[in-house]
């Protein structure tokens, strides 16, 4: 029996792409205006209404996946004796990874054979999605579960994540910047440059004045650090502002030759923490 690739909704790949490649996923939950929503990667989620709420001032919160939900998610694969690769949202940003690991250990106490392999991607959004996409590609090309696991461990720390946000209040609420910094930054049109570090956590690594300079900076950082671009599929995530994402794609194509560049909406779980207008660019480089 072939193995199953699984992930969670923080990968930000479209529902249709995962479905056509037989990838199962577990959904994060979002609470907005006292209503709980399920991030199902666009299968039923009304993303346009969600973005409109954020633009109108809503501040959604998110919840990690608990052990019970992971037990339910993994149990059917165990009972079918189907090996599973689970590519998890960064442990540096959520406790979901630890919940998944704990669920696997509990299942091992209950079943004689549990072939579930949990990988902490140390990545978020389409950085995580890039790794899921690579696993899909490798499986199609006949690679074994063991070979994909080894590739993930050898290469996951090469994922480059370059992010800029347009609204500082979400970073302030998440404790990434102080209230004073957010107020001053808003007045001075300061845009932060954010990356995901080796621990899988978000780090503010720079700031520029103006949206245009911020978009140029994420392109320049990517171009400077990318390795073997001609063989790569790059990913751009955008929270509402597709025009800026298209602009970033065009600037990239002027500077380097790549296999392809895919644009997808930033999922609602991640958007809850970045706000409307976030642009994120993902590629593979030498190291983080």
């Amino acid at each position: 029996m072939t193995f199953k690739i699984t992930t969670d909704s923080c990968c930000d790949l479209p529902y249709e792409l995962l479905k056509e490649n037989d990838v199962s996923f577990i959904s994060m939950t979002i609470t907005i205006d006292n209503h709980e929503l399920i991030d199902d990667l666009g299968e039923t989620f009304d993303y346009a209404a969600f973005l409109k709420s954020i633009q109108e001032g809503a501040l959604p919160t998110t919840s990690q996946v608990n052990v019970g939900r992971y037990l339910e998610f993994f149990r059917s694969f165990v009972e079918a004796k189907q090996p599973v690769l689970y590519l998890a949202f960064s442990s540096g940003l959520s406790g979901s990874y630890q919940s998944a690991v704990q669920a696997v250990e509990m299942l091992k106490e209950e079943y004689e054979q549990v072939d579930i392999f949990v990988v902490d991607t140390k990545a978020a959004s389409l950085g995580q999605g890039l790794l899921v996409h690579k696993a899909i590609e490798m499986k199609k090309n006949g690679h074994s579960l063991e070979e994909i696991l080894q590739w993930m461990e050898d290469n996951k720390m090469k994922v480059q994540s370059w992010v800029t946000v347009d609204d500082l209040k979400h970073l302030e609420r998440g404790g990434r910047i102080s209230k004073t910094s957010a107020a001053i930054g808003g007045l001075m049109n300061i845009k932060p440059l954010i990356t995901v570090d080796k621990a899988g956590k978000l780090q503010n690594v720079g700031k520029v004045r103006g949206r245009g300079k911020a978009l140029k900076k994420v392109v320049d950082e990517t171009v400077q650090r990318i390795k073997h671009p001609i063989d790569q599929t790059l990913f751009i995530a955008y929270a509402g502002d597709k025009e800026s994402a298209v602009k970033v794609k065009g600037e990239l194509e002027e500077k380097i030759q790549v296999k392809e560049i895919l644009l997808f909406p930033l999922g609602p779980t991640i958007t809850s923490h970045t706000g409307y207008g976030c642009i994120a660019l993902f590629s593979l480089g030498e190291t983080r």
Side-chain angles (χ1 to χ4, degrees), residues 12-14 17 126 235-239 262-267:
D12 287 355
L13 291 171
L17 187 153
L126 290 174
F235 291 86
I236 301 173
Y238 59 94
L262 299 178
L263 279 64
F264 296 122
L266 189 73

Side-chain angles (χ1 to χ4, degrees), residues 75-87:
R75 191 180 299 277
S76 61
F77 303 118
V78 175
E79 293 184 345
K81 293 183 168 57
Q82 184 172 36
V84 170
L85 169 65
Y86 176 64
L87 296 172

Side-chain angles (χ1 to χ4, degrees), residues 160-175:
Q160 304 290 309
S161 308
W162 294 100
V163 186
T164 187
V165 303
D166 204 36
D167 185 349
L168 298 178
K169 69 181 178 184
H170 292 268
L171 293 182
E172 175 205 329
R173 185 174 59 119

Side-chain angles (χ1 to χ4, degrees), residues 12-13 17 23 41 59 74 78-79 87 94 102 104 109 116-118 128 148 153 157 160 166 182 241 266:
D12 287 355
L13 291 171
L17 187 153
V23 176
L41 294 173
L59 294 171
F74 289 139
V78 175
E79 293 184 345
L87 296 172
S94 171
Q102 189 177 344
V104 172
E109 295 175 2
I116 299 175
F117 302 91
V118 181
Q128 179 183 345
I148 298 175
E153 292 306 325
M157 299 311 296
Q160 304 290 309
D166 204 36
D241 186 4
L266 189 73

Side-chain angles (χ1 to χ4, degrees), residues 24-135:
S24 296
F25 67 93
I26 190 166
S27 292
M28 302 289 177
T29 56
I30 300 160
T31 302
I32 185 168
D33 296 331
N34 295 317
H35 294 290
E36 189 173 88
L37 305 173
I38 303 300
D39 180 0
D40 60 9
L41 294 173
E43 181 183 10
T44 63
F45 192 93
D46 190 341
Y47 190 60
F50 174 76
L51 287 177
K52 186 172 184 289
S53 295
I54 287 181
Q55 286 180 290
E56 291 173 349
L59 294 171
T61 58
T62 60
S63 303
Q64 68 185 51
V65 182
N66 61 37
V67 175
R69 288 187 58 215
Y70 274 116
L71 284 169
E72 183 181 354
F73 180 66
F74 289 139
R75 191 180 299 277
S76 61
F77 303 118
V78 175
E79 293 184 345
K81 293 183 168 57
Q82 184 172 36
V84 170
L85 169 65
Y86 176 64
L87 296 172
F89 181 45
S90 174
S91 63
L93 296 171
S94 171
S96 294
Y97 165 76
Q98 291 298 338
S99 295
V101 171
Q102 189 177 344
V104 172
E105 292 306 310
M106 291 173 70
L107 288 167
K108 286 179 178 178
E109 295 175 2
E110 188 177 344
Y111 295 89
E112 186 176 332
Q113 185 174 351
V114 177
D115 295 320
I116 299 175
F117 302 91
V118 181
V119 175
D120 180 2
T121 65
K122 304 280 188 179
S125 185
L126 290 174
Q128 179 183 345
L130 184 155
L131 296 176
V132 175
H133 189 267
K134 182 66 178 181

Side-chain angles (χ1 to χ4, degrees), residues 147-158 286:
E147 288 171 329
I148 298 175
L149 269 171
Q150 189 61 55
W151 189 95
M152 291 295 157
E153 292 306 325
D154 290 345
N155 293 278
K156 68 182 184 181
M157 299 311 296
K158 296 178 181 178
E286 192 59 46

